[in-house]
Amino acid sequence: MADSETGQIDNVMQEDRLFPPSEQFCQNAAIGSMDDYQALYDAAKNDPDKFWGETAREELHWFEPFDTVCNHDGSHVEWFVGGKTNISYNCLDANIAAGNGDRLAIIWEGEPGDTRTLTYKQLLTEVCKFSNVLTGQGVGVGDVVSIYMPMTPELAIAMLACTRIGAIHSVIFAGFSAEAIADRNNDASAKVQITSDGLFRRGKTLPLKDTVNAALEKSPTVECCIVLQRAKNDCAMQAGRDYWWHELMEDASADCPALPLDSEATSFILYTSGSTGKPKGIRHTTAGYNLWTKKTFQWVFDWKPEDIYWCTADCGWITGHSYIVYGPMSNGATCLMYEGAPNHPAPDRFWDVVQRHKVTILYTAPTAIRAFVKWGDEHIDKHDISSLRLLGTVGEGINPDTWIWYHEKIGGEKCPIVDTWWQTETGGIMMSPLPGATATKPGSCTLPLPGVVPVIVDEGLHPVETNHGGMLCMAQPWPGMLRGIWGDEKRFQEQYWSTFPGNYLTGDNARVDDDGYYWIMGRIDDVINVSGHRLSTIEVESALVSHDKVAECAAVGRPHDLKGQAICVFVTVKDAQAGEALRDELRLHVRKEIGALAVPDDIRFTDGLPKTRSGKIMRRLLRDIAAGRQAAGDVSTLEDFSVLAKLSEDQE
Ligand code: PRX
């Protein structure tokens, strides 16, 4: 049967470079061989109750023990039923009880260059005081606290204070508009807002409080607003509603025992955009989420107490929740937190930070790596970044050539790269190499972690063959999985559980190769169907990015009378002349890399691609533009409207 009938996706990318971890890395790693990985994987798969029951007892503090490891019935899942624990306790008190209270929890650097450090003991004091501040404002178990703050230690303090007292945080990335904040506040019925006067970005002060003031006019459920003084810009404070963080903290007691909370108590909601409709408030729990982030952090980053770990995400995204705050801190890790832009005051800022703080583990996004490639190697060459021992990526697929650059230029060919595939919904990493065990292949997130049981099916729900792409689903529950969409059970069922009943639908396509390695092929909605061949966006894009004049690329389909769809690519170039000659060169290049089938019909050069605020290319907007339509749908997550305006203008 043709792929167009089964809904399978053609695999057109050939990537056979293999990078085994060095012997030295394996020797020092907690999981140092594929046999160790396989033993763990099998234990979790064959007897999940035993595996997760033991792991949960070992890793988390239990005020009251659980009586059932997991209950599940399709989409309805509960883990560690009957138990009581507290995430904030596991991140703070537990580390202090283990004798690590004087270890640094946070090394923080502001964009202007100011720095601060907090030990676990100091962090606990701040968190307890702020917990009491929140309680003083009437916040209790189950109340929603909306957080819209710069990347300062206080952002982590606010999150940990909420989870300490059973309040539910909803962190909103501090680049969203007033409208977007109000939408989220209303959907969640937020009771309290936390923000700051301003934030520093590329040397400018952005007036966060002004944005919040506009949002609060349309957020009737919010009773009070706590404002951190960060940028010292003028801002309007409304008497009786707005309070300064530092004033409330002055009188707050540092005594606030963590509240024992049900395993399944909601710890936070985090809004993520759907391609259509309003943003969804993804709901996570207490015990399962905490355990998943703690274990996956250990497995994937092979974390050691002496590591200086830097995840460059913002706490406004799930990556910041799981791998700046909860995962690392429940292990007692030292986390670097940076406030600003990667190119301020100059494009070498990240490497300057790595050198000065002797960062050993760096976890960042492909969009950032592509920018570093474009900015030029000279910014890296200025610095000694030899402290790095492990690199990670998250958020999008990484094109193999970008991966090789990361490996050579940043990793000095000695650091393993963990390409981590996961989602806001999964709570933590699902597929990734284990750096001391897995030989990596550029562009593949390699193998599932223990507890993850993926299945790939075609549109008829039949498992696809090796090397054919299909819909990636999860056949078994895992502790970190989402438990719902806030206030919208119907959408939760429809979106994740109705396509392949009993299985979680990720919304991504993937294939497995001959070695059992997984390759993510992009979102299901983004597949391009050319003459009955279903092509994955990432494969076409990777072929183009492997051309040395291409910096970044997005491939989409547009309607075509004969072929069904034609391939349209949007390309940003390094410093080459964009024009007809380069178009011909790129067509030839794709023909050579993939074949005639994938040669783009339209090649459009552009200065930038429309991206979400977390750096993902918004292909759905490009599909509209490629088809000559007005870009439609929700654009609240778009980072830079001028890019879209320019692309639409070019069309006219
Ligand atoms: O399409 C996949 C892509 O990002 C989606 C999840 O996005 P979000 O919920 O914002 O979470 C981002 C941080 C985990 C996925 O469905 N994605 C994420 N990581 C990868 C990826 N695609 C390919 N490779 C990855 N490593």
Side-chain angles (χ1 to χ4, degrees):
M1 225 190 301
D3 279 352
S4 56
E5 288 167 44
T6 61
Q8 295 194 7
I9 300 159
D10 289 3
N11 158 224
V12 291
M13 185 160 83
Q14 261 307 322
E15 177 55 67
D16 37 32
R17 289 170 281 193
L18 192 68
F19 296 83
S22 70
E23 214 162 283
Q24 197 204 350
F25 199 100
C26 296
Q27 272 166 10
N28 295 325
I31 302 169
S33 71
M34 282 309 278
D35 287 347
D36 290 353
Y37 158 75
Q38 201 60 51
L40 263 184
Y41 188 82
D42 293 345
K45 187 169 179 193
N46 299 337
D47 194 346
D49 278 9
K50 178 164 181 284
F51 182 87
W52 290 114
E54 285 172 7
T55 311
R57 271 179 223 105
E58 253 163 53
E59 299 283 357
L60 303 183
H61 172 81
W62 293 97
F63 295 98
E64 281 176 33
F66 50 91
D67 43 56
T68 308
V69 175
C70 181
N71 279 330
H72 64 106
D73 173 17
S75 60
H76 292 284
V77 177
E78 299 173 311
W79 284 88
F80 313 116
V81 186
K84 284 193 194 295
T85 184
N86 182 291
I87 303 185
S88 182
Y89 184 98
N90 292 320
C91 289
L92 302 169
D93 312 58
N95 288 314
I96 295 165
N100 298 320
D102 294 323
R103 186 184 291 162
L104 290 182
I106 298 178
I107 301 173
W108 175 80
E109 182 161 314
E111 194 184 79
D114 43 344
T115 58
R116 266 167 73 193
T117 57
L118 286 153
T119 63
Y120 274 93
K121 275 188 197 153
Q122 290 166 333
L123 184 58
L124 175 66
T125 303
E126 295 301 305
V127 169
C128 285
K129 287 173 75 175
F130 196 67
S131 300
N132 285 324
V133 165
L134 288 175
T135 311
Q137 297 300 322
V139 176
V141 177
D143 286 334
V144 175
V145 175
S146 167
I147 302 178
Y148 181 78
M149 291 178 84
M151 277 289 285
T152 51
E154 283 76 10
L155 173 46
I157 291 166
M159 291 165 73
L160 288 158
C162 287
T163 45
R164 194 164 189 83
I165 60 171
I168 299 168
H169 58 67
S170 162
V171 184
I172 302 169
F173 174 64
F176 278 113
S177 64
E179 201 66 37
I181 304 170
D183 281 351
R184 288 157 176 75
N185 283 351
N186 290 325
D187 187 75
S189 304
K191 186 168 181 177
V192 168
Q193 178 78 61
I194 308 174
T195 188
S196 74
D197 49 359
L199 81 74
F200 296 117
R201 193 74 187 172
R202 292 200 178 86
K204 292 203 187 90
T205 303
L206 306 185
L208 284 201
K209 179 62 165 58
D210 291 354
T211 308
V212 164
N213 283 343
L216 292 189
E217 275 174 28
K218 296 182 185 165
S219 309
T221 58
V222 174
E223 294 165 14
C224 102
C225 177
I226 303 173
V227 187
L228 175 78
Q229 195 171 49
R230 166 64 187 137
K232 301 217 163 111
N233 51 315
D234 282 339
C235 62
M237 299 284 282
Q238 183 177 310
R241 183 194 72 183
D242 301 347
Y243 304 91
W244 287 108
W245 175 295
H246 57 274
E247 288 179 3
L248 294 176
M249 288 289 268
E250 255 169 36
D251 308 322
S253 150
D255 181 29
C256 180
L259 197 66
L261 295 166
D262 283 343
S263 291
E264 283 293 310
T266 302
S267 53
F268 65 85
I269 48 183
L270 182 57
Y271 284 87
T272 175
S273 58
S275 51
T276 51
K278 66 182 173 91
K280 310 168 272 195
I282 302 298
R283 187 170 73 78
H284 281 290
T285 55
T286 295
Y289 171 80
N290 195 173
L291 185 64
W292 191 249
T293 54
K294 184 170 184 189
K295 277 318 284 184
T296 52
F297 181 74
Q298 293 168 11
W299 286 331
V300 172
F301 296 104
D302 184 45
W303 171 77
K304 309 262 186 281
E306 54 282 6
D307 274 315
I308 307 288
Y309 162 85
W310 184 18
C311 167
T312 68
D314 190 285
C315 287
W317 313 119
I318 191 70
T319 308
H321 283 57
S322 302
Y323 298 108
I324 294 178
V325 182
Y326 296 122
M329 290 189 189
S330 47
N331 283 293
T334 299
C335 304
L336 192 126
M337 201 172 166
Y338 170 59
E339 180 185 38
N343 54 355
H344 187 83
D348 69 337
R349 181 64 184 261
F350 268 26
W351 320 116
D352 181 39
V353 169
V354 168
Q355 175 173 0
R356 275 185 293 108
H357 297 287
K358 300 201 168 40
V359 173
T360 58
I361 304 175
L362 177 70
Y363 189 32
T364 194
T367 183
I369 303 170
R370 291 190 302 260
F372 300 138
V373 175
K374 189 169 180 184
W375 293 338
D377 290 1
E378 64 273 23
H379 303 295
I380 297 134
D381 295 339
K382 278 189 208 151
H383 297 281
D384 175 5
I385 55 170
S386 58
S387 55
L388 290 170
R389 68 174 195 95
L390 177 64
L391 304 175
T393 69
V394 58
E396 277 182 295
I398 179 162
N399 310 114
D401 278 61
T402 312
W403 191 103
I404 295 288
W405 181 90
Y406 196 33
H407 166 71
E408 289 174 353
K409 199 67 211 169
I410 306 303
E413 299 185 25
K414 73 176 191 334
C415 303
I417 297 179
V418 288
D419 174 350
T420 63
W421 176 86
W422 57 295
Q423 308 177 295
T424 304
E425 292 88 338
T426 68
I429 298 169
M430 300 289 278
M431 297 206 255
S432 167
L434 300 188
T438 321
T440 50
K441 298 184 188 185
S444 168
C445 58
T446 75
L447 298 166
L449 295 185
V452 175
V453 184
V455 32
I456 303 178
V457 293
D458 64 21
E459 283 169 2
L461 306 181
H462 306 294
V464 295
E465 296 154 39
T466 303
N467 278 321
H468 285 259
M471 298 185 284
L472 175 65
C473 302
M474 296 295 152
Q476 278 186 20
W478 65 99
M481 67 197 288
L482 81 165
R483 300 295 197 275
I485 295 178
W486 187 258
D488 202 342
E489 178 62 21
K490 188 161 161 273
R491 193 170 176 199
F492 175 59
Q493 294 301 333
E494 277 171 11
Q495 182 121 32
Y496 304 108
W497 302 97
S498 63
T499 307
F500 187 11
N503 293 263
Y504 166 78
L505 180 79
T506 66
D508 282 351
N509 286 315
R511 75 177 163 97
V512 177
D513 71 13
D514 296 321
D515 297 323
Y517 276 39
Y518 285 78
W519 298 77
I520 302 296
M521 300 174 94
R523 302 291 298 167
I524 290 174
D525 298 341
D526 288 342
V527 169
I528 308 173
N529 194 333
V530 186
S531 309
H533 295 281
R534 288 163 51 86
L535 299 176
S536 104
T537 48
I538 180 109
E539 297 197 347
V540 178
E541 290 160 9
S542 290
L544 281 149
V545 171
S546 72
H547 189 284
D548 27 305
K549 291 179 187 148
V550 174
E552 199 162 38
C553 165
V556 297
R558 69 160 168 81
H560 187 280
D561 287 345
L562 295 177
K563 298 194 280 190
Q565 282 189 317
I567 301 175
C568 175
V569 297
F570 293 82
V571 174
T572 64
V573 291
K574 284 179 187 155
D575 8 71
Q577 282 291 317
E580 218 33 61
L582 184 57
R583 275 200 185 91
D584 290 343
E585 232 180 90
L586 294 180
R587 285 202 177 94
L588 263 178
H589 183 74
V590 175
R591 182 181 296 268
K592 187 167 103 311
E593 293 287 308
I594 303 185
L597 169 73
V599 172
D601 296 75
D602 312 337
I603 298 181
R604 297 175 59 160
F605 295 110
T606 166
D607 293 337
L609 294 170
K611 292 187 182 173
T612 64
R613 291 166 207 267
S614 64
K616 286 190 218 295
I617 298 168
M618 292 179 81
R619 291 184 186 76
R620 117 184 112 78
L621 300 181
L622 291 173
R623 262 201 306 272
D624 287 338
I625 290 171
R629 297 188 295 259
Q630 184 80 17
D634 177 25
V635 286
S636 68
T637 55
L638 182 64
E639 190 198 17
D640 182 352
F641 282 87
S642 67
V643 173
L644 186 63
K646 177 93 181 27
L647 281 164
S648 310
E649 219 172 76
D650 290 348
Q651 160 121 328
E652 281 154 13

